[in-house]
Amino acid sequence: MTKIPSSLVAAGGLVGGYGVARWTKKRQLGGAVLAVAGTVAATQWQRRAGGRAAGALGAAYVAAFAGSHPLAKKVGAWPAVFGVSGAVALASWAVADRRG
């Protein structure tokens, strides 16, 4: 079975969580998508890069989610989500995926 890079899991969680919340109008469902993807990514980060890196990347994931809200007021919702998702994906790739 092909392994999905943690960078794609994390970015997919941010984009997917927002998309699900927006299209279903159920924020809790979007939050569940965000949480499941974050948990899967964190598990991968732990295995590939260790606990400290997983903690830092997890904090970046949560900060990206939180930071997308005020950023959306300036650039729009989808550009904000794609921007923070790209930043998290790049960090995840650099710290955890590039090695494997």
Side-chain angles (χ1 to χ4, degrees):
M1 185 161 133
T2 304
K3 292 185 180 183
I4 299 171
S6 62
S7 54
L8 292 180
V9 173
L14 290 162
V15 172
Y18 174 69
V20 166
R22 182 172 178 137
W23 291 318
T24 65
K25 301 194 183 334
K26 297 191 185 313
R27 293 176 67 195
Q28 298 87 351
L29 191 55
V33 170
L34 182 79
V36 168
T39 301
V40 170
T43 301
Q44 291 178 324
W45 295 329
Q46 170 71 34
R47 281 192 213 131
R48 294 178 184 167
R52 292 182 112 171
L57 289 168
Y61 186 79
V62 171
F65 168 70
S68 68
H69 292 82
L71 182 60
K73 292 179 182 181
K74 296 183 186 293
V75 300
W78 280 111
V81 170
F82 287 133
V84 299
S85 297
V88 169
L90 182 61
S92 179
W93 175 82
V95 173
D97 294 340
R98 180 173 54 164
R99 299 173 189 205

